[in-house]
Amino acid sequence: MIIVLKQDITNKQKDDIKSLLKENGLIIREIKGKEDTVLGAVGVNRMDPRQIELMDGVASVVPISKPYKLASRELKKEDTIVTVGNVKIGGPRVVMMAGPCAVESEKQIMEIAGAVREAGAVILRGGAFKPRTSPYSFQGLGEEGLRYLRKAGDEFGMPVTTEVVSPSDVEMMASYIDMFQIGARNMQNFELLKEVGKTGMPVLLKRGLSATIEEWLMAAEYLMANGTDQVVLCERGIRTYEKATRNTLDCSAVPVVQKLTHLPVIGDPSHATGMRDLVAPMGLALVAAGASGLIVEVHNHPEKALSDGPQSLLPQQFEKLVRDVQALCPVVGKSLESVPRIMPKNLKEESATEETTASSGELVVAFQGERGAYSELAVRNVFDDDVKVLPCKSFHDAFEAVNKGQARYAVLPVENTLGGTIVDNIDLLQRYPGITIVGEVQVRIVHNLIVNPGVRFEDITKVYTHPQGLAQCKEFLERELPDAQQIPFFDTAGAVAYISKTGDRHAAAIAGAPAAAYHDMEILREGIETNPRNYTRFYVLTREENAEVFRSANKPDRAAVSFTLPDRPGSLYDALEVLKSNNLNMKKLESRPIAGRPWEYSFFAELEMPGIEDFQKAVPSIKQQTADFRILGYYKSAH
Ligand code: PEP
Ligand code: MN
């Protein structure tokens, strides 16, 4: 049952409730949600719920209708975020896990780990205990394999996961790995689930070969009832009468499961299909269906693999899949969990003594706007959730914060797919030569109609938001709220803050979901923008002396530059010729007026480059054809 606690409950009252539940043999989990704090009490219940309902501090008692309790969405409405090492799974992220089916040798796992890391994997997989259909097949290297796996994970900065097959191995394995994998064949090995659950560690729970969704969630319940709340579900295909593929991928299980449970669900297109050429399309299908990530088998010599070679991708095929997943992410409102998430750990250590860290030791990242702004979402997509954000009034203030060392990074918008370039930030980059671009992130802009709790659609007579928000939701406003007054505001999240503060019950604001959540407001209509292809890309900026740390973990493939040109026919043509002959692909070119030099222009360009060194080789010849040439930064493209 779910015991909803009153907002003003005292600690003593809470302890009394917990003691009574414990005396009755129930397992208790306290869950602090956005709206309420609840106690989940599960187990063999002999209590009359009314007995608890009458206790001081209890708002209500609600039974959980599903047989799985701790795993159910009824108990916990918000998505669970599972933390594996320094990678987070769940919420608005897509996490790529990859590696061989089995660890075969130290050399093999090292080579594959390096390749998948380079391609964009953030978690390394590799079996050391293999549950094989035939007793004569390769059974895995056992503990020796775990040692190699750990070493490869450490070497390439990835947490590791591997399958556990026996309860007696659990303790030994816990010292080598970051996440247990329960294989399909063991999904209902209840003794194993109990032992693994007791560790409290993250668990990747594969769906059984012929398990229903309910049985699968009951297996998760076993893990949770025994002590872990860090469970990731994995759809890996089920046994059907169809023989064309190894298993039948149950793609619809992903959205179905997401409705039923708060736990993240990922997909395994390798075991689901058993065929290399089906892995990428089915992987994309899983992400499109809402999966929080993929686990993919990759091998550098699949033809020689000791297990599952035919379904293993080559590293370059995996890299292509990662790029395609990355392109798909904005469509499903997510972003690819990428390398910088692993970075803040070493950044933290390195910067712990500087002023760019808050007193608690976390990194400070500046953005422009109010709390809950789209820019804050961009910050969250790049950095760990525990970074401290510094909201700034203007772009200029954010540059100043980085320049003065109040923030180590700033994440600022540079282009919107509907509105075009945000020239202010390009111009500010010119004015702050000590600040450089180190990263890029893309956010899909989803506008929502937000009101004070309880306000009805019929009551709305005014709509506040940034002028661009009004323009981007024009069709909705004309159709649904033709008589409402449209009031331009300086920013979207600020409009939410404003109507929240005034408590106006006739006003609505248009902004992103995080702004509504931050101010405890209600979303009346979601996704009201006319054109859903509305993305903004942001640069991650830092002072030049800090750039290397970010870039070394996130290999740049773009350079942003600015230059002016001699006033003669063909000067731009000559400059472009140099780019062409150096194999630098121009992705964007924009001309900007030069401050203080009327009717003269500088150019801003983004160039795709094979690597920083290749680009630098071309710099002397570019300089010959241009003037005032400046490199504004190097970064890994997010689109
Ligand atoms: C594996 O991940 O290598 C594996 C054996 O998977 P499953 O349990 O899904 O068959
Ligand atoms: Mn396998």
Side-chain angles (χ1 to χ4, degrees):
M1 67 190 125
I2 302 166
I3 299 139
V4 184
L5 304 178
K6 285 191 177 150
Q7 306 260 350
D8 58 357
I9 188 169
T10 63
N11 284 341
K12 161 94 177 55
Q13 289 167 342
K14 206 192 282 179
D15 289 343
D16 289 346
I17 302 167
K18 286 184 180 172
S19 309
L20 181 69
L21 296 168
K22 260 192 213 139
E23 279 162 25
N24 281 275
L26 296 173
I27 300 170
I28 308 158
R29 293 280 186 279
E30 184 171 336
I31 297 158
K32 288 196 174 72
K34 281 210 184 81
E35 288 150 30
D36 302 301
T37 298
V38 304
L39 294 178
V42 304
V44 185
N45 187 17
R46 291 175 295 270
M47 295 183 76
D48 182 343
R50 280 171 302 183
Q51 191 187 346
I52 301 164
E53 206 148 28
L54 289 172
M55 292 184 78
D56 291 336
V58 174
S60 59
V61 177
V62 192
I64 304 176
S65 64
K66 300 285 190 306
Y68 41 90
K69 311 286 180 189
L70 297 172
S72 103
R73 259 287 174 214
E74 289 173 51
L75 176 62
K76 183 168 180 266
K77 295 194 177 50
E78 280 107 33
D79 289 344
T80 284
I81 308 294
V82 172
T83 305
V84 184
N86 36 25
V87 174
K88 289 192 164 62
I89 308 171
R93 311 169 178 80
V94 172
V95 171
M96 296 298 282
M97 313 181 191
C101 178
V103 179
E104 298 167 8
S105 67
E106 183 172 345
K107 184 166 176 285
Q108 175 246 18
I109 188 70
M110 281 293 178
E111 278 181 22
I112 298 174
V116 298
R117 174 72 159 83
E118 184 63 30
V122 291
I123 295 182
L124 179 65
R125 63 150 288 150
F129 298 92
K130 297 303 301 174
R132 304 302 298 279
T133 306
S134 161
Y136 309 118
S137 300
F138 175 61
Q139 305 284 309
L141 295 181
E143 194 168 349
E144 186 189 354
L146 296 179
R147 267 200 299 278
Y148 300 152
L149 183 68
R150 177 77 270 159
K151 196 167 167 199
D154 289 345
E155 174 78 22
F156 295 100
M158 285 180 285
V160 301
T161 184
T162 194
E163 181 169 352
V164 54
V165 294
S166 160
S168 61
D169 288 338
V170 170
E171 205 184 317
M172 175 276 290
M173 291 179 73
S175 62
Y176 288 103
I177 63 172
D178 301 291
M179 172 162 67
F180 284 103
Q181 179 178 323
I182 303 280
R185 289 155 197 82
N186 274 313
M187 189 205 82
Q188 282 189 319
N189 181 341
F190 299 116
E191 291 312 309
L192 182 64
L193 295 175
K194 284 185 201 165
E195 271 321 294
V196 171
K198 276 187 215 157
T199 63
M201 284 173 59
V203 187
L204 182 66
L205 177 65
K206 296 268 196 115
R207 181 178 181 181
L209 295 171
S210 55
T212 63
I213 286 173
E214 187 165 300
E215 286 163 342
W216 185 18
L217 293 174
M218 289 307 288
E221 190 74 12
Y222 258 93
L223 291 166
M224 299 182 85
N226 281 281
T228 183
D229 56 359
Q230 299 282 289
V231 180
V232 179
L233 299 160
C234 178
E235 163 61 41
R236 45 79 71 208
I238 47 175
R239 190 60 67 80
T240 67
Y241 52 79
E242 182 53 66
K243 289 195 196 139
T245 48
R246 182 175 176 184
N247 291 292
T248 300
L249 174 62
D250 182 7
C251 229
S252 59
V254 173
V256 169
V257 162
Q258 269 178 345
K259 275 216 177 79
L260 299 174
T261 179
H262 50 86
L263 298 171
V265 51
I266 68 159
D268 172 350
S270 308
H271 294 90
T273 61
M275 295 152 89
R276 183 170 309 129
D277 57 343
L278 296 184
V279 170
M282 293 303 102
L284 291 171
L286 283 158
V287 174
S292 291
L294 298 177
I295 184 164
V296 179
E297 288 187 342
V298 177
H299 204 290
N300 47 355
H301 300 290
E303 69 293 349
K304 292 191 202 142
L306 298 180
S307 60
D308 287 349
Q311 69 194 32
S312 297
L313 294 186
L314 285 157
Q316 58 270 34
Q317 293 174 314
F318 176 67
E319 185 180 0
K320 162 95 169 51
L321 172 61
V322 176
R323 286 192 158 273
D324 290 347
V325 167
Q326 188 174 22
L328 179 59
C329 276
V331 178
V332 286
K334 292 186 185 163
S335 54
L336 191 69
E337 178 83 343
S338 62
V339 179
R341 291 202 163 273
I342 299 173
M343 297 234 325
K345 193 175 153 233
N346 42 18
L347 289 180
K348 251 183 244 167
E349 287 161 8
E350 192 216 349
S351 56
T353 54
E354 293 184 20
E355 74 278 28
T356 46
T357 56
S359 50
S360 53
E362 75 268 65
L363 274 173
V364 181
V365 183
F367 69 93
Q368 187 274 328
E370 294 256 355
R371 291 298 309 271
Y374 292 107
S375 295
E376 184 176 350
L377 198 61
V379 174
R380 301 288 173 204
N381 285 348
V382 180
F383 295 96
D384 259 355
D385 289 340
D386 59 0
V387 296
K388 185 171 164 11
V389 287
L390 178 66
C392 297
K393 269 220 156 52
S394 64
F395 297 140
H396 180 250
D397 287 353
F399 267 84
E400 271 297 299
V402 174
N403 203 36
K404 290 201 186 112
Q406 291 155 344
R408 178 164 281 241
Y409 295 98
V411 176
L412 296 173
V414 281
E415 187 169 7
N416 174 266
T417 46
L418 305 181
T421 304
I422 293 141
V423 291
D424 298 14
N425 284 324
I426 307 294
D427 293 348
L428 281 160
L429 272 164
Q430 299 283 359
R431 283 174 49 194
Y432 285 87
I435 293 178
T436 184
I437 307 162
V438 288
E440 184 187 52
V441 58
Q442 175 173 266
V443 166
R444 175 165 170 213
I445 306 297
V446 180
H447 289 312
N448 304 287
L449 191 72
I450 297 166
V451 292
N452 278 295
V455 168
R456 293 171 313 164
F457 196 73
E458 310 80 88
D459 301 334
I460 299 171
T461 59
K462 291 171 279 186
V463 180
Y464 292 84
T465 194
H466 189 278
Q468 281 207 349
L470 291 173
Q472 291 172 3
C473 301
K474 192 163 171 273
E475 277 185 18
F476 170 86
L477 292 170
E478 279 173 2
R479 194 178 60 241
E480 309 279 338
L481 288 166
D483 299 325
Q485 192 189 353
Q486 299 180 10
I487 306 171
F489 211 78
F490 64 93
D491 81 25
T492 55
V496 180
Y498 177 73
I499 66 161
S500 163
K501 203 165 124 212
T502 58
D504 192 335
R505 304 199 64 76
H506 294 286
I510 294 175
Y518 184 76
H519 295 286
D520 285 330
M521 300 285 274
E522 222 164 81
I523 294 181
L524 270 191
R525 296 284 190 279
E526 271 179 87
I528 58 170
E529 65 278 2
T530 308
N531 188 339
R533 291 173 185 275
N534 186 357
Y535 303 102
T536 299
R537 64 189 180 95
F538 297 75
Y539 281 152
V540 182
L541 307 171
T542 191
R543 284 190 299 188
E544 192 70 62
E545 64 266 30
N546 301 326
E548 193 43 41
V549 190
F550 198 102
R551 288 189 191 130
S552 65
N554 205 12
K555 198 170 156 250
D557 57 9
R558 293 279 158 92
V561 298
S562 65
F563 52 89
T564 59
L565 290 170
D567 193 11
R568 61 167 168 78
S571 59
L572 179 59
Y573 177 93
D574 293 342
L576 298 185
E577 177 65 42
V578 180
L579 301 185
K580 181 182 170 197
S581 59
N582 283 283
N583 198 20
L584 298 167
N585 183 15
M586 190 162 62
K587 304 295 283 189
K588 182 181 168 87
L589 180 66
E590 181 122 358
S591 68
R592 298 285 310 137
I594 304 173
R597 283 156 61 180
W599 321 124
E600 288 187 38
Y601 302 89
S602 75
F603 289 88
F604 164 76
E606 290 180 331
L607 309 170
E608 187 175 32
M609 57 180 189
I612 292 185
E613 284 99 59
D614 304 278
F615 174 74
Q616 281 167 347
K617 267 188 224 135
V619 167
S621 20
I622 303 174
K623 279 187 172 166
Q624 269 179 7
Q625 299 299 338
T626 59
D628 309 314
F629 178 77
R630 263 197 61 207
I631 298 166
L632 303 175
Y634 302 110
Y635 57 95
K636 186 170 173 66
S637 158
H639 61 281

